[in-house]
Amino acid sequence: MRDHRFGWQTGLASYADTPIGPTLRDVAQVLEGHRGFGIDTFVRRKEVAGCDYWVPDPGFIVEFDESQHFTRPRRLALAMYADRHPLGFSAERWMELCERHDAKDNNPVYRDEQRAWYDTLRDLVPLAEGLQPTVRLYVRDREWCALDPDSTEDLESFSDLIEAGRSATTQSAAGFRFPTLPPAQPAALVESLRWYAASRLVIEGGFDPDWIQPRPPITVERDREGLFLSHDPDAARPDRQAVLGGLKEARPDVTVTIPDIGPVLALSLEGTESVESGAGGVPELTGKLERTAGACVNLHMMYPALVYGFWHVLSADRVQDFAPVTVPAHVGGPHDHGDHAQRTNGEAAAELQRYHDAVARLSERDDIRDAPSRYEACGLTLVERGGGSRQGMVYPHYPGPDSLLDYNRMFQQLYAVYDRRFVDSARALKETTRRRFWHHESPLLAKMAGRNDLLAEMAPRVRRDPVCPPHRPRNGGQRGDPSPV
């Protein structure tokens, strides 16, 4: 249903007593402070205009966002509620698009603030009205007019995009493998990667899920035989931890905070939508490292012992591969985009290799007296941007397993540095800071055991002690002695 109107009011006062009222006040304040236009100046209509599309069953709005929506005011507004309310799109990606386009519309002079306010209402008012989150689609993601409504394949593709948006804030209920998304959306991986990383820090890292933000969908039950993990989507919480930095407040994508000790481990994630070999492509990534190093300095100034990781996920195209058993080749046709980050012989493009080497120089901070601009570990991952069965999946051979930036190695490095700083060097706190072992018959691990794809990248942190008695049914019988954990 197109251009459907709900009769929603545009004024701030209309939502004063609703759950979204405090958020809207924050948005109004940041928009007013941007260029000095008061909300009474840029809110001119009484009701929100009709939406692009209304899907009455199950009840959500679909908006197609063109470049004029990606402005500085829109980014400021999104930052006020990206972590506070469920959204049907990746706020991280939308803010990145705002930075990329930086669109300006000065007719009238307050048009950018006005458009940002109305977009905010379309995002938040449905939540107050009991509807599902608004789904947003980026018009340049694909040639929408080329979709054939009579084509089953096109209908399924469009349906997948809608569902990807609607599940943007419920990724925690998904599995625990490296997430994959449709092509042209690698930046949206960041949101899913948060859940993946948070869950991996529990399953493989042995950290208490209550210490982690966003809180993963995992619960721990203790009995005499040990600690048992269970998958519980209701336990998940999407909020990120606000951390006081030396220069400004920061919100790492994943943070481990131990009560009475403070933040001990953090991970910042970044997604880049496409990698180009020309101007504005990979060389631009290298230029962004100044900001990446600055973020590291900011937190290490306040917390020198913080174990801090940086993980960058980029999309890439493969022009030709003479060993298609590893990664299928897409040459010519709709999947040959021309902005390839890989050479025909599978070697990384020179520009990408330079970026790899630059990120590697920001990694491997071993001692708290080392340069605060270096991370304890960094990761660089390429995902398939072209079509086909591997779209959104990880390139298996770049960077290789011997690279400092292999993301599996990154996790192991973070664990090792954490143990040295917060366990081995702090024996009086060891009982609090040590990483846990999980019982090998945990319900969560039992579910994962039958899925090789879920265990391909991580080894659950379990201990099988030969002196422990056999495990007995958990619903009855005499318990054995507790396993050491």
Side-chain angles (χ1 to χ4, degrees):
M1 189 181 300
R2 296 196 62 177
D3 200 31
H4 183 71
R5 295 175 179 268
F6 296 88
W8 295 333
Q9 299 297 298
T10 59
L12 178 61
S14 301
Y15 305 98
D17 297 325
T18 70
I20 64 174
T23 302
L24 289 177
R25 284 196 297 271
D26 290 344
V27 172
Q29 184 176 1
V30 74
L31 291 178
E32 288 179 325
H34 178 51
R35 294 191 295 178
F37 298 118
I39 189 170
D40 293 335
T41 300
F42 57 77
V43 176
R44 293 304 183 94
R45 63 171 69 229
K46 291 185 178 180
E47 293 184 357
V48 178
C51 62
D52 288 343
Y53 291 92
W54 162 240
V55 183
D57 185 14
F60 62 91
I61 290 170
V62 178
E63 292 285 334
F64 282 84
D65 286 350
E66 299 171 303
S67 58
Q68 67 265 25
H69 287 265
F70 299 107
T71 64
R72 174 69 173 170
R74 177 61 167 149
R75 190 191 187 289
L76 293 172
L78 279 168
M80 292 295 100
Y81 59 89
D83 297 324
R84 296 165 68 174
H85 299 282
L87 301 176
F89 59 99
S90 169
E92 291 283 344
R93 185 183 183 222
W94 254 240
M95 288 190 286
E96 180 183 285
L97 288 169
C98 288
E99 290 185 357
R100 181 190 308 172
H101 288 289
D102 194 21
K104 294 178 174 62
D105 185 350
N106 292 319
N107 185 24
V109 292
Y110 49 77
R111 183 67 174 111
D112 291 341
E113 285 85 350
Q114 184 182 68
R115 183 177 279 121
W117 177 255
Y118 293 154
D119 281 348
T120 297
L121 293 177
R122 288 190 181 91
D123 288 342
L124 299 183
V125 174
L127 306 178
E129 295 291 328
L131 303 178
Q132 297 191 15
T134 296
V135 173
R136 291 191 176 273
L137 301 175
Y138 178 38
V139 294
R140 295 189 184 180
D141 269 347
R142 60 180 57 202
E143 295 183 31
W144 301 102
C145 294
L147 294 177
D148 182 359
D150 296 324
S151 167
T152 300
E153 182 179 353
D154 284 356
L155 287 174
E156 290 179 352
S157 175
F158 183 74
S159 177
D160 288 344
L161 284 172
I162 295 293
E163 289 304 313
R166 293 183 61 213
S167 64
T169 56
T170 58
Q171 293 291 338
S172 62
F176 303 106
R177 65 170 183 235
F178 189 102
T180 61
L181 287 178
Q185 298 187 49
L189 277 171
V190 170
E191 194 157 359
S192 296
L193 282 170
R194 289 192 191 122
W195 295 114
Y196 168 80
S199 298
R200 183 164 180 168
L201 289 174
V202 176
I203 297 169
E204 179 185 69
F207 291 99
D208 189 321
D210 288 333
W211 293 353
I212 301 173
Q213 286 187 277
R215 194 201 183 285
I218 300 173
T219 55
V220 179
E221 179 185 351
R222 178 191 293 272
D223 67 17
R224 294 181 61 196
E225 295 183 6
L227 299 175
F228 292 80
L229 296 179
S230 297
H231 180 208
D232 182 4
D234 292 335
R237 298 292 182 271
D239 298 336
R240 287 189 285 164
Q241 175 72 47
V243 180
L244 183 63
L247 301 174
K248 62 179 181 179
E249 176 187 289
R251 288 181 181 271
D253 288 281
V254 182
T255 307
V256 179
T257 304
I258 301 179
D260 300 324
I261 293 178
V264 295
L265 187 150
L267 181 62
S268 287
L269 307 169
E270 184 164 340
T272 298
E273 183 169 331
S274 62
V275 178
E276 301 182 0
S277 298
V282 179
E284 182 179 326
L285 296 176
T286 306
K288 290 182 179 180
L289 285 180
E290 182 177 350
R291 182 186 64 185
T292 303
C296 190
V297 171
N298 181 46
L299 289 187
H300 278 152
M301 286 174 65
M302 185 61 66
Y303 299 100
L306 177 72
V307 181
Y308 198 8
F310 171 69
W311 188 8
H312 196 170
V313 179
L314 308 94
S315 64
D317 294 324
R318 184 180 296 273
V319 183
Q320 186 175 359
D321 189 345
F322 294 105
V325 294
T326 56
V327 179
H330 301 298
V331 183
H335 304 312
D336 188 2
H337 301 278
D339 53 349
H340 309 287
Q342 294 241 332
R343 299 300 189 200
T344 56
N345 62 359
E347 294 181 5
E351 296 92 341
L352 182 59
Q353 186 61 43
R354 284 197 291 271
Y355 180 66
H356 170 282
D357 295 344
V359 175
R361 289 195 294 272
L362 286 181
S363 187
E364 306 303 296
R365 180 176 182 263
D366 186 65
D367 190 271
I368 62 173
R369 292 163 293 188
D370 290 344
S373 59
R374 293 172 62 186
Y375 292 83
E376 277 63 23
C378 293
L380 179 65
T381 303
L382 270 62
V383 296
E384 187 89 24
R385 193 167 84 101
S389 62
R390 286 194 56 84
Q391 63 184 34
M393 297 183 69
V394 174
Y395 277 101
H397 301 302
Y398 185 85
D402 295 330
S403 169
L404 293 178
L405 304 187
D406 175 71
Y407 72 95
N408 290 306
R409 179 196 179 279
M410 176 193 70
F411 279 99
Q412 300 307 317
Q413 180 73 0
L414 293 175
Y415 304 148
V417 177
Y418 171 84
D419 286 344
R420 288 200 300 271
R421 292 185 190 171
F422 291 96
V423 181
D424 300 339
S425 299
R427 295 189 178 277
L429 300 174
K430 185 175 181 179
E431 287 305 307
T432 300
T433 59
R434 64 186 173 83
R435 297 185 293 131
R436 278 45 175 169
F437 285 94
W438 314 119
H439 198 286
H440 66 279
E441 294 189 6
S442 294
L444 172 60
L445 302 184
K447 291 180 181 179
M448 295 176 67
R451 297 278 306 279
N452 290 334
D453 58 329
L454 298 187
L455 291 176
E457 298 159 341
M458 67 178 85
R461 187 173 168 83
V462 298
R463 173 180 291 169
R464 293 180 175 87
D465 194 322
V467 302
C468 288
H471 177 65
R472 295 181 175 85
R474 304 192 71 219
N475 58 354
Q478 180 66 36
R479 298 285 190 187
D481 296 329
S483 301
V485 297

